[in-house]
Amino acid sequence: MERYNQLAQAFAYTPIHVYGVYKSRLEANRLYRGHVDQPTAYGGLILGLRGSARFTFNGSNSIEVNQGKAIIGGYQMRLALEVGETGCEYALIHFLADGRTPQAALFQKAHQLEYLFEPSILQMVDELIQIDAEPGEIAALQKKALFYQLLAHVLRLARLQQKPKNSEVMEETIRYIHAHYHEPITLGQLAARYDMTPKYFSAAFRKCTGVGPIDYVIHCRMKRAHQLLMTGAFTVSAVARSVGYQDPYYFSRLFKKQFGVAPSYVLLEMKK
């Protein structure tokens, strides 16, 4: 679960360039060594559609791909493919990440995903292939948007497949936070709702969401505060109180940590 959260974070905060989109059919019982001598020039999202094949990266990391299994990454890695008895059909979307961001290093590894395969995956792949053939900047933007949509869908399905213990409790906690973020909320209070110790509850919540429960509360509050400030209709103090902070200076510190600018700056920009 943590790995899926890390991949989602990497794609969310790393600029990505999306290149070719392909469907490949490989003959049964064959060994393909196209990238054994020359490393891959792109990272990739590989989705098994039919049959199976084994992708071996750098001679040792061997990952089987079939329907419901995928690979993300593989940039600058040597690759060989061994196809099973039924042949293999897979979709491949090439991408490159901006190497200046810390998360980009994640794409230099090959990550296996197991997800609940749905017919919508095939439909989205076919749409990507169609858009990839169209010229122009608008088509390129549509291709990038659909790639992110497909990726988010696969990661969401993978998380559903790997639901940990207490996942329903954590989903209920998330709904509670969204409904009561403006009220006083403590870790002890959240844990007590389910007769858990704060330490156990915090670890379970982090496993499901990738962040701690109080960090999640703060994120919800700051997101709502930003929406209110963007209206230009409220003072910083009023916004702070509306999301649960009586001290506007403390609120301002949290807001700046989240967005990189002070809430007063956002308000000033809206009033120009």
Side-chain angles (χ1 to χ4, degrees):
M1 187 67 68
E2 181 66 24
R3 182 160 48 95
Y4 300 147
N5 292 332
Q6 289 175 348
L7 285 168
Q9 182 184 48
F11 277 104
Y13 297 106
T14 305
I16 296 291
H17 302 280
V18 182
Y19 293 92
V21 184
Y22 313 94
K23 262 188 189 176
S24 294
R25 289 185 176 89
L26 304 179
E27 295 180 18
N29 301 314
R30 290 282 302 275
L31 179 64
Y32 295 82
R33 300 174 57 86
H35 283 290
V36 169
D37 298 320
Q38 183 175 2
T40 56
Y42 300 96
L45 170 61
I46 302 168
L47 301 167
L49 303 178
R50 296 178 184 86
S52 66
R54 185 163 292 279
F55 289 64
T56 301
F57 294 87
N58 289 347
S60 59
N61 184 12
S62 188
I63 300 174
E64 184 174 352
V65 169
N66 51 41
Q67 193 177 87
K69 292 185 179 179
I71 297 172
I72 294 178
Y75 174 60
Q76 286 289 289
M77 300 184 76
R78 299 179 188 278
L79 171 64
L81 281 73
E82 185 178 359
V83 187
E85 295 180 355
T86 57
C88 181
E89 181 178 0
Y90 65 92
L92 168 63
I93 301 103
H94 278 146
F95 67 85
L96 277 179
D98 187 335
R100 292 172 294 180
T101 59
Q103 294 94 340
L106 205 62
F107 303 124
Q108 294 178 332
K109 300 177 182 178
H111 306 271
Q112 183 178 22
L113 302 180
E114 295 188 31
Y115 61 98
L116 299 165
F117 188 83
E118 292 182 349
S120 57
I121 299 293
L122 289 171
Q123 181 181 346
M124 295 170 79
V125 167
D126 288 339
E127 288 179 20
L128 265 168
I129 290 173
Q130 181 179 345
I131 291 171
D132 186 48
E134 296 178 10
E137 288 74 15
I138 293 178
L141 180 60
Q142 288 178 310
K143 179 172 69 173
K144 190 171 186 177
L146 187 55
F147 170 73
Y148 279 119
Q149 185 180 343
L150 172 62
L151 179 68
H153 190 44
V154 169
L155 287 171
R156 193 176 297 114
L157 292 171
R159 287 185 61 159
L160 286 173
Q161 181 97 331
Q162 301 294 320
K163 267 193 170 185
K165 182 182 177 182
N166 296 319
S167 60
E168 280 141 8
V169 166
M170 299 307 132
E171 287 168 7
E172 184 181 330
T173 299
I174 289 169
R175 290 192 293 271
Y176 176 85
I177 290 171
H178 280 275
H180 300 274
Y181 65 87
H182 55 286
E183 301 172 7
I185 296 177
T186 67
L187 175 58
Q189 172 198 346
L190 293 173
R193 284 169 56 84
Y194 306 102
D195 294 323
M196 297 182 186
T197 66
K199 184 177 180 180
Y200 181 84
F201 177 86
S202 183
F205 190 94
R206 184 178 292 277
K207 189 172 184 180
C208 282
T209 65
V211 298
I214 299 306
D215 287 336
Y216 192 90
V217 172
I218 293 171
H219 174 78
C220 290
R221 289 173 171 172
M222 295 304 110
K223 184 176 180 181
R224 178 56 178 158
H226 189 270
Q227 292 171 343
L228 292 172
L229 289 166
M230 290 291 288
T231 68
F234 308 100
T235 65
V236 171
S237 295
V239 170
R241 288 193 299 271
S242 73
V243 296
Y245 297 102
Q246 297 304 313
D247 183 349
Y249 298 104
Y250 179 62
F251 162 75
S252 294
R253 289 200 300 272
L254 291 174
F255 188 93
K256 187 171 184 179
K257 184 178 180 181
Q258 178 86 18
F259 294 105
V261 295
S264 56
Y265 176 83
V266 176
L267 193 59
L268 185 63
E269 288 294 302
M270 292 308 301
K271 290 184 176 180
K272 282 184 178 179

